[in-house]
Amino acid sequence: MNQNQITQAYQIAKDAYAAIGVDVDAALKKLETIPISLHCWQGDDVGGFEKAGAQLEGGGIQATGNYPGKARNIEELRADFLKALSVVPGKHRMNLHACYLDHGGKRVERNEIEPKHFQSWIDWAKANQLGMDFNPTYFSHPKAADGFTLSHPDAGIRNFWIEHGLACRKIAAEMGRQLGSTTVTNHWIPDGYKDIPADRIGPRERLIDSLDKLLAAPIDPALNLDAVEAKLFGIGAESYTTGSHEFYMGYAVSRKTLLTLDAGHFHPTEMISDKISSVLLFCPGLLLHVSRPVRWDSDHVVILDDELQAIAKELVRSGKLDKIHIGLDYFDASINRVAAWVIGTRNMIKALLIALLEPAASLKQAELKMDYTARLACMEELKSLPWSAVWDYYCVQKGVPTGMAWFNEVRRYEEQVLSKR
Ligand code: RNT
Ligand code: ZN
């Protein structure tokens, strides 16, 4: 479709939405204010740059596949990331893990990292108008090899990880300060038992103690906010996870931290879309790890499925987008990694657009009047309204390719850059 056709289709779509009381221009204005935090780790299968050829180890997170062309160093990762962003409409964020530090060739222990090891990332983010989010890396390390970190029985090991968490919060605050945009720091630990534990409460008591210590250092919430992420199980930690959902829900509510909901961290039929409203009512904020579990916490690329649309609708309907931070969390090493970023991110934005194109007020009104027939009729009609014409127009407006044109660009990049690695 050429630009003329896209504009024509947009005008027709606008009328169709106006007929059910939706202001499409207002929806697009809102859409451009919602940043997505793109995870650095899709670019190199969660390897990081602590040592050359680092591999993801431990904690039951696993990247599978060996598609050629993965980023091998900071320069390549940055170039790939910017390539992905160049075909995504809107302004977004870079979500960095601590193990992606720039140590200039000299290894630094995790409890000794400082803002200077991330200065080149901050400069790069600034130059590219990106906000940043951050993650301590409590895995892929000899001191995580027992499968325990902040809840380890050994106080020395716990202390090491407390120091790492603290160091990360300071780095995150510095990112927030220099970029003029609040960093969200997500704390996820892999701790758990393969087999049935004799003591379920002990590790949880230790985890409370460790978190309290590492979150005690006061940090200006305008610079950094902390979030805690629960999980159901991991490979090698099938029977017990210290940081379960109940644990962190209680922790976040009592300590007033943000709570992270990862779409892959619940039972297979349990959906995070239904949890969003409750978390927003009890926690000061919500961080999402939008992911796609297939039979387990497999972290497949996010697709435009029912659950993604349900998540986006809950975010928009809540009216609390200012308390919500949308991050992506998946890593597929079996396809072009730049395309994986693009597909997941474009889908997240499409889902938000679809949600913003709902006649929210009239749907709620029908519900309050117990007119469930009207509610169902309208929800079903919405499914065939031309949101994709609005999406195309949005892409044109933001100067990014429409339709499969983005894919041609990524393919070209693959031929010219990725395939040479
Ligand atoms: C692991 C968690 C966690 C990680 C990242 C890399 O199950 O989802 O968020 O994926 O920290
Ligand atoms: Zn996650």
Side-chain angles (χ1 to χ4, degrees):
M1 278 209 292
N2 64 34
Q3 213 139 309
N4 242 343
Q5 292 168 311
I6 289 174
T7 310
Q8 274 176 13
Y10 176 69
Q11 291 302 340
I12 295 168
K14 234 174 113 160
D15 291 347
Y17 280 104
I20 55 153
V22 174
D23 179 345
V24 174
D25 288 327
L28 289 184
K29 275 228 140 52
K30 184 76 200 167
L31 185 62
E32 69 181 12
T33 67
I34 310 175
I36 311 298
S37 195
L38 276 80
H39 50 313
C40 69
W41 52 93
Q42 166 58 56
D44 74 331
D45 316 338
V46 211
F49 304 126
E50 283 178 318
K51 50 183 179 198
Q55 292 290 318
L56 168 64
E57 298 159 33
I61 44 177
Q62 214 172 338
T64 51
N66 53 4
Y67 198 85
K70 89 166 169 191
R72 296 163 300 179
N73 52 50
I74 295 187
E75 291 66 40
E76 289 178 356
L77 188 72
R78 285 181 190 155
D80 294 358
F81 191 86
L82 292 179
K83 185 74 218 175
L85 269 188
S86 74
V87 293
V88 168
K91 286 210 177 320
H92 301 288
R93 306 174 64 83
M94 147 63 98
N95 189 10
L96 199 67
H97 239 287
C99 61
Y100 288 72
L101 80 175
D102 187 356
H103 57 34
K106 204 169 154 269
R107 263 200 90 165
V108 191
E109 244 325 331
R110 295 229 181 129
N111 59 343
E112 286 168 358
I113 53 172
E114 293 175 45
K116 67 178 184 204
H117 302 117
F118 295 87
Q119 191 56 50
S120 73
W121 277 112
I122 300 173
D123 294 341
W124 171 84
K126 194 169 209 167
N128 292 289
Q129 293 176 293
L130 297 166
M132 286 186 85
D133 296 305
F134 202 45
N135 307 258
T137 310
Y138 300 104
F139 53 85
S140 294
H141 189 277
K143 284 196 161 63
D146 294 334
F148 282 89
T149 61
L150 292 175
S151 71
H152 199 288
D154 182 299
I157 294 189
R158 286 204 303 281
N159 211 39
F160 173 85
W161 291 113
I162 291 168
E163 287 174 3
H164 176 59
L166 258 170
C168 285
R169 295 181 67 225
K170 289 183 186 151
I171 292 161
E174 186 57 21
M175 286 171 174
R177 195 184 64 75
Q178 289 191 36
L179 297 172
S181 168
T182 315
T183 305
V184 178
T185 298
N186 182 53
H187 301 266
W188 173 77
I189 58 164
D191 300 27
Y193 287 116
K194 181 182 178 72
D195 221 332
I196 304 158
D199 178 12
R200 285 176 188 266
I201 203 165
R204 289 181 174 142
E205 282 169 342
R206 295 194 288 270
L207 181 52
I208 291 181
D209 184 63
S210 296
L211 287 170
D212 282 352
K213 284 180 177 141
L214 83 86
L215 295 174
I219 287 187
D220 182 351
L223 303 182
N224 177 62
L225 292 169
D226 292 283
V228 288
E229 181 182 8
K231 186 160 173 166
L232 180 66
F233 83 101
I235 304 290
E238 291 86 355
S239 300
Y240 170 85
T241 296
T242 312
S244 60
H245 177 59
E246 293 72 15
F247 177 90
Y248 279 126
M249 185 88 197
Y251 191 85
V253 169
S254 59
R255 269 59 173 184
K256 302 195 171 35
T257 70
L258 275 62
L259 188 77
T260 304
L261 289 177
D262 183 310
H265 289 190
F266 296 88
H267 291 283
T269 58
E270 199 182 351
M271 299 294 150
I272 65 164
S273 49
D274 185 42
K275 302 180 188 296
I276 290 167
S277 48
S278 301
V279 172
L280 287 170
L281 289 172
F282 291 106
C283 299
L286 167 68
L287 170 62
L288 285 167
H289 270 190
V290 182
S291 191
R292 178 166 55 106
V294 178
R295 303 191 187 282
W296 69 294
D297 181 27
S298 60
D299 292 295
H300 278 64
V301 177
V302 165
I303 58 171
L304 189 59
D305 57 9
D306 286 349
E307 174 60 1
L308 183 68
Q309 294 184 55
I311 290 170
K313 283 179 182 144
E314 283 304 307
L315 300 180
V316 169
R317 289 172 185 169
S318 75
K320 296 183 192 297
L321 278 167
D322 54 322
K323 290 170 67 181
I324 296 167
H325 308 268
I326 306 174
L328 304 175
D329 183 10
Y330 55 78
F331 27 97
D332 189 338
S334 74
I335 61 172
N336 179 313
R337 293 169 185 80
V338 176
W341 261 321
V342 176
I343 293 168
T345 311
R346 282 174 69 112
N347 280 334
M348 184 71 239
I349 303 169
K350 283 178 183 173
L352 287 165
L353 172 64
I354 293 169
L356 286 163
L357 291 174
E358 261 190 357
S362 58
L363 279 171
K364 269 185 210 169
Q365 232 177 357
E367 187 163 281
L368 284 173
K369 283 196 277 174
M370 299 194 175
D371 189 354
Y372 306 138
T373 320
R375 181 183 65 183
L376 181 63
C378 180
M379 282 182 172
E380 287 307 295
E381 259 332 289
L382 278 170
K383 290 180 180 170
S384 51
L385 284 189
W387 65 267
S388 67
V390 183
W391 165 255
D392 286 344
Y393 179 79
Y394 185 61
C395 288
V396 170
Q397 223 186 20
K398 296 292 170 197
V400 305
T402 54
M404 284 290 279
W406 73 264
F407 183 68
N408 299 335
E409 280 195 27
V410 172
R411 250 294 123 86
R412 206 171 316 125
Y413 185 72
E414 176 169 35
E415 280 156 18
Q416 290 169 357
V417 180
L418 301 179
S419 69
K420 309 256 155 65
R421 289 180 184 163

